[in-house]
Each structure stands twice: as structure tokens, then as C-alpha cells.
């Protein structure tokens, strides 16, 4: 049974929402974040990445950096940029990109659901990244970035939420990247109860994006429980900020690979080695985007190739059946010698939102080969998570990204 509940969101006033809403903190490098905040000083990125308020050589993990984030939340609230709802509410958040819309329920999900596997994950987290967000949540006593959760579509939930969308939204704007945002506040206690009950009939939810934010929220919750041994379970720190989307509305884009060397081989030798595990053909179009599962594009020596997985090497287990794992097992490790793509500096990853032209650009700049991928499906993600397994790194790229700063969940006041 899934446990969710409404909450009193700290959120930007209507006039400031478009200016405040920011892409997730982790899509920017430190220098990119600095430039973005300099150009847009009221972007929530200034709070999500508070090192932007210090000199470039300042330790971005120093205590005063996190204290700055806490102070900025207080300052922006006093300045009237943020307001807090008086009663717990749910919120509907519709995002529209390239003519396609997805609508999520903004709520708080149970930390115990995460601990007991009701909220299911498919990625490991890096301890350094987790530690950074843990300190951010702990010092600010606020969860500032929503966790993107998915659930198996239920018509009863869709019909219930559609009733809300028959009313005008309380907020509507288009962000700089062309994504349309519409938000409805659900404050009626009866409707909130119906929503809680409807989602309570689900067996589980799945983390689509935000594993580090989820792990950090849970880490702080456990810390607060130790600090409050008489806790009841109803305290806000027992829940984490999330947005729940039905699986049939979600889009996963390709997550492509670029390689910085050829591991000592010539381009011809690379093709010969790959031919042992793939059917290798010149691509009919350039650049080449795989058309189905089991196909890969290869950009090498200024030319595109179509690679097809050989049937005798296909696997049927949840991880082995993934294209990203086939590429790892049959190309990256045996040909390039890359055993751990998460840590090997010779491989980099390019989200599909950047287009295949970015692969060609990287190969003309700092790389020597690139693979274009067919997107992992949401059903593959669910299968892996249901089995309690973890996907290879950089398996999924969801679009559109959830903006930070539109909803803040205070875990203690």
C-alpha cells in the first residue's frame, strides 16, 4: 500500500514563479550554475547551489555555504517571494513539451515506504553527491527538489484527478526551455481524502529520477528520528517531497555514450572487434538513430554505422536484456576495457535532449567514438526495480525535467 499525504507548500507567489523555477541542481557544472545565477539572480538555483553566492575558489561544501541556502530561503520568504499555504494541500502539475503533456500529483511520500521497498529504486547513489544533498536538507530543514516518481496507470486515479483540471489553474507559465507549466492547488479536505485513498490502493511507486534527493531526504529523516526519540511518525520529516506520474504519460529519451579514445585500436580494428558481437553495417542515414531495441548507432572516424545485437548473445534476465547492458558487455568492456562506466574517465554520457549532433561535436572536440542508443522503456525500468536490481549507470533520461523552487517542503519549523 502506498502512503502519501498533502502538505503546506512553501512556494513562490504567482508573479515570481516563472522567474524562480529552475532546472535541477545536478544538470549544471559549478561554472554553469554560477553563470546561470548571475544571469537570473532570483532563480531557485541560487538556493539549490548556494556556492554561487561565494567566490569561485570557496569550498562549495563548507558549512557557511549550506547556511547561506537556509538564510536565502528565510530572506526570500520575508521579501514576499515565497508564501506558505495555511492548510495541507495536494497540487496537480501539468508539464507540456513538444505537444505532449504529463500530469503529476505533488505530494509527500512516506519515508517508511522507501525503507520497506514500497518506493522502488533502480539506481545506486554516489556517497559524495548524497552527502551534499543531505547537508542541504538538514541545514535548511527543507526539501527543495521534488523526487520524480512513477506508478502504473489506473483509470480510477486518472478520472479523479481529471476532475481537478476542469477548473482554472492557480498558476500557468512557460519556462525558458519552452516547457509549459500549469498548476492546480487541491485544498478541499474531501477531495484530498479521496486522493489519499486512491493512491493507497497502489502496490508501489518507482523512482524515475531523483535517487540522490530521495536517499538524502531519508537520511535526514533517520537523523531527525534519532534526535526526537519520542517521534510519532506524523512529523513532516517522516515524508519527502515527490511528484507522482502515471507511466503511460512519461517519455524516456536516449542516453548516449561518447568515448575519449579507441583503446589503442585503429577504426578498422574497432569495427572488426565489434563485428564479433554485432552485425555492423554502414548507416543508411546520418546521423543514425536506432529504430528499435537491439539496435545501436556508432559514430567512428567521421562515419555512422548501424550495429545490431547478435541473437546468440542476447540475454533474458532483467539487467541482461537492457540495451545499455548489451553495449557494456559486448563493446565497452571487451573492446574498450571499460569495466566500470560510472568511474572510468574515458567514457562520458550525453542526454538525448542534446540531439545526435552533440555526439558528432564531441567526436570533433575531445572524443573519438560515440554510440547512439534506443531508449530504455518504462516497463524495463519497472521490471528491474520489481526484481530489486539496479540498472547500469545513465540508463534513462526523462524529459521534461521537474523544476525546483515551485514547491518546498519544510520538514521542521
Amino acid at each position: 500500500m502506498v502512503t502519501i499525504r498533502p502538505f503546506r507548500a512553501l512556494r513562490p507567489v504567482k508573479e515570481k514563479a516563472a522567474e524562480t523555477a529552475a532546472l535541477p541542481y545536478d544538470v549544471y557544472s559549478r561554472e554553469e550554475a554560477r553563470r546561470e545565477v548571475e544571469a537570473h539572480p532570483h532563480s531557485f538555483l541560487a538556493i539549490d547551489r548556494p556556492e554561487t553566492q561565494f567566490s569561485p575558489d570557496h569550498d562549495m561544501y563548507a558549512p557557511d555555504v549550506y547556511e547561506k541556502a537556509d538564510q536565502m530561503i528565510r530572506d526570500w520568504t520575508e521579501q514576499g517571494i515565497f508564501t506558505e499555504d495555511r492548510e495541507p494541500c495536494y497540487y496537480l502539475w501539468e508539464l507540456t513539451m513538444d505537444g505532449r503533456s504529463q500530469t503529476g500529483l505533488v505530494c509527500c511520500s512516506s519515508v517508511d515506504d522507501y525503507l520497506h521497498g514500497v518506493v522502488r529504486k533502480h539506481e545506486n547513489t554516489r556517497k559524495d553527491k548524497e552527502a551534499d544533498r543531505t547537508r542541504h536538507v538538514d541545514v535548511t530543514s527543507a526539501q527543495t527538489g521534488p523526487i520524480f516518481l512513477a506508478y502504473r496507470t489506473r483509470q480510477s486515479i486518472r478520472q479523479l484527478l481529471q476532475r481537478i483540471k476542469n477548473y482554472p489553474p492557480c498558476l500557468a507559465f512557460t519556462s525558458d526551455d519552452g516547457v509549459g507549466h500549469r498548476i492546480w492547488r487541491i485544498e478541499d479536505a474531501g477531495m484530498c481524502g479521496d486522493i489519499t485513498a486512491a493512491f493507497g490502493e497502489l502496490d508501489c511507486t518507482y523512482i524515475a529520477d531523483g535517487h540522490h534527493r530521495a536517499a538524502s531526504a531519508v537520511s535526514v529523516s533517520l537523523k531527525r528520528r534519532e534526535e526526537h526519540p519520542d517521534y510519532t511518525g506524523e512529523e513532516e520529516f517522516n515524508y519527502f517531497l515527490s511528484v507522482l506520474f502515471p507511466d503511460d504519460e512519461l517519455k524516456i529519451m536516449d542516453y548516449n555514450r561518447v568515448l575519449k579514445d579507441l583503446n589503442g585500436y585503429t577504426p578498422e580494428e574497432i569495427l572488426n572487434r565489434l563485428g564479433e558481437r554485432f552485425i555492423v553495417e554502414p548507416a543508411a542515414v546520418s546521423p543514425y538513430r536506432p529504430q528499435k531495441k537491439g539496435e545501436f548507432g556508432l559514430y567512428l572516424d567521421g562515419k555512422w554505422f548501424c550495429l545490431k545485437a547478435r541473437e546468440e548473445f542476447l540475454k533474458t534476465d532483467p539487467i541482461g536484456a537492457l540495451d545499455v547492458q548489451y553495449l557494456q558487455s559486448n563493446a565497452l568492456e571487451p573492446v574498450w576495457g571499460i569495466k566500470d562506466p560510472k568511474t572510468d574517465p574515458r567514457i562520458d554520457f550525453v542526454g538525448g535532449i542534446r540531439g545526435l549532433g552533440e555526439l558528432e561535436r564531441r567526436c570533433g572536440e575531445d572524443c573519438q567514438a560515440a554510440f547512439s542508443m534506443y531508449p530504455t522503456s518504462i516497463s524495463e525500468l519497472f521490471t528491474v526495480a520489481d526484481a530489486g536490481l539496479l540498472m547500469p549507470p545513465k540508463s534513462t533520461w526523462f524529459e521534461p525535467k521537474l523544476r525546483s523552487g515551485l514547491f518546498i517542503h519544510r520538514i521542521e519549523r
Side-chain angles (χ1 to χ4, degrees):
M1 184 180 81
V2 170
T3 302
I4 63 169
R5 73 179 193 181
F7 69 107
R8 293 172 56 195
L10 183 67
R11 52 192 179 83
V13 296
K14 186 175 182 178
E15 298 75 19
K16 296 291 186 180
E19 182 182 9
T20 302
L23 287 170
Y25 74 96
D26 54 357
V27 306
Y28 297 95
S29 68
R30 183 171 186 176
E31 181 55 32
E32 288 171 340
R34 173 174 296 280
R35 291 198 301 267
E36 178 68 15
V37 170
E38 286 177 351
H40 304 93
H42 281 129
S43 167
F44 194 77
L45 187 63
I47 292 174
D48 254 354
R49 296 288 294 270
E51 75 274 11
T52 59
Q53 308 301 300
F54 296 82
S55 63
D57 59 350
H58 193 88
D59 180 3
M60 65 185 293
Y61 304 119
D64 57 353
V65 172
Y66 301 97
E67 292 164 4
K68 183 66 174 178
D70 181 47
Q71 187 60 52
M72 290 181 72
I73 292 175
R74 297 175 190 274
D75 290 345
W76 288 18
T77 302
E78 291 177 2
Q79 294 166 16
I81 296 174
F82 289 140
T83 185
E84 187 171 42
D85 288 316
R86 294 184 177 181
E87 299 295 333
C89 301
Y90 284 124
Y91 310 84
L92 279 192
W93 185 0
E94 178 194 76
L95 298 96
T96 302
M97 177 181 181
D98 297 332
R100 182 188 62 84
S101 295
Q102 60 188 56
T103 302
L105 179 76
V106 184
C107 63
C108 281
S109 294
S110 166
V111 165
D112 285 321
D113 277 4
Y114 180 97
L115 294 172
H116 298 146
V118 177
V119 176
R120 297 180 180 173
K121 56 186 179 179
H122 67 271
E123 282 184 8
N124 265 328
T125 56
R126 280 176 43 186
K127 292 303 180 183
D128 56 339
K129 292 180 66 176
E130 185 179 329
D132 167 51
R133 286 301 100 178
T134 297
R135 293 180 68 187
H136 196 283
V137 173
D138 197 25
V139 172
T140 63
S141 282
Q143 296 156 356
T144 60
I147 289 84
F148 185 156
L149 299 181
Y151 62 92
R152 288 188 171 87
T153 302
R154 285 204 177 187
Q155 194 61 26
S156 57
I157 293 178
R158 190 188 303 280
Q159 291 173 348
L160 178 63
L161 298 184
Q162 185 59 42
R163 289 162 52 189
I164 306 301
K165 297 178 74 173
N166 291 329
Y167 297 90
C170 63
L171 177 64
F173 68 94
T174 300
S175 49
D176 292 342
D177 55 2
V179 176
H181 302 260
R182 294 202 298 167
I183 293 171
W184 291 261
R185 184 171 67 253
I186 308 169
E187 49 192 337
D188 179 78
M191 176 58 77
C192 287
D194 290 345
I195 291 172
T196 301
F199 278 88
E201 294 178 359
L202 296 174
D203 293 329
C204 61
T205 58
Y206 300 83
I207 300 177
D209 199 8
H211 284 79
H212 287 91
R213 293 190 292 275
S216 300
V218 171
S219 179
V220 174
S221 173
L222 296 178
K223 178 175 180 288
R224 296 294 170 95
R225 289 179 178 185
E226 289 183 0
E227 295 169 351
H228 303 277
D230 58 344
Y231 78 93
T232 66
E234 291 301 308
E235 298 86 355
E236 291 297 328
F237 58 71
N238 294 291
Y239 292 81
F240 61 87
L241 178 63
S242 54
V243 189
L244 280 64
F245 290 93
D247 63 340
D248 63 350
E249 294 184 6
L250 299 180
K251 180 179 179 62
I252 302 179
M253 298 186 73
D254 42 308
Y255 213 151
N256 303 310
R257 277 79 170 128
V258 289
L259 299 157
K260 298 185 178 180
D261 61 41
L262 299 183
N263 199 28
Y265 294 113
T266 66
E268 183 178 3
E269 290 170 335
I270 288 286
L271 293 174
N272 288 336
R273 289 292 311 275
L274 291 174
E276 298 170 6
R277 302 292 183 95
F278 299 82
I279 300 170
V280 181
E281 302 170 341
V285 294
S286 178
Y288 183 72
R289 184 180 301 279
Q291 299 301 299
K292 60 183 180 180
K293 181 175 170 58
E295 284 189 0
F296 309 81
L298 168 65
Y299 187 65
L300 177 69
D301 198 26
K303 295 182 284 289
W304 280 96
F305 298 87
C306 170
L307 276 58
K308 299 177 183 178
R310 290 188 179 275
E311 192 169 336
E312 59 266 33
F313 297 109
L314 293 175
K315 305 293 185 182
T316 57
D317 62 283
I319 299 297
L322 299 172
D323 277 2
V324 287
Q325 185 60 45
Y326 189 95
L327 185 74
Q328 173 62 33
S329 299
N330 296 284
L332 299 182
E333 184 169 353
V335 181
W336 270 268
I338 295 174
K339 295 183 178 181
D340 186 354
K342 183 180 290 187
T343 59
D344 197 306
R346 296 176 300 142
I347 186 171
D348 201 0
F349 304 89
V350 179
I353 192 67
R354 294 181 178 270
L356 299 185
E358 178 67 8
L359 303 185
E360 295 181 349
R361 188 192 71 80
R362 288 292 301 272
C363 286
E365 185 176 277
D366 63 342
C367 296
Q368 295 190 38
F371 286 98
S372 58
M373 308 293 296
Y374 189 75
T376 302
S377 71
I378 192 70
S379 62
E380 288 177 317
L381 185 155
F382 284 178
T383 298
V384 170
D386 287 341
L389 301 173
L390 301 174
M391 284 186 169
K394 311 299 184 183
S395 293
T396 57
W397 181 282
F398 284 88
E399 285 290 346
K401 300 292 185 187
L402 300 184
R403 293 258 163 171
S404 296
L406 291 174
F407 304 96
I408 300 171
H409 175 224
R410 295 187 189 229
I411 61 173
E412 281 193 275
R413 290 176 173 79

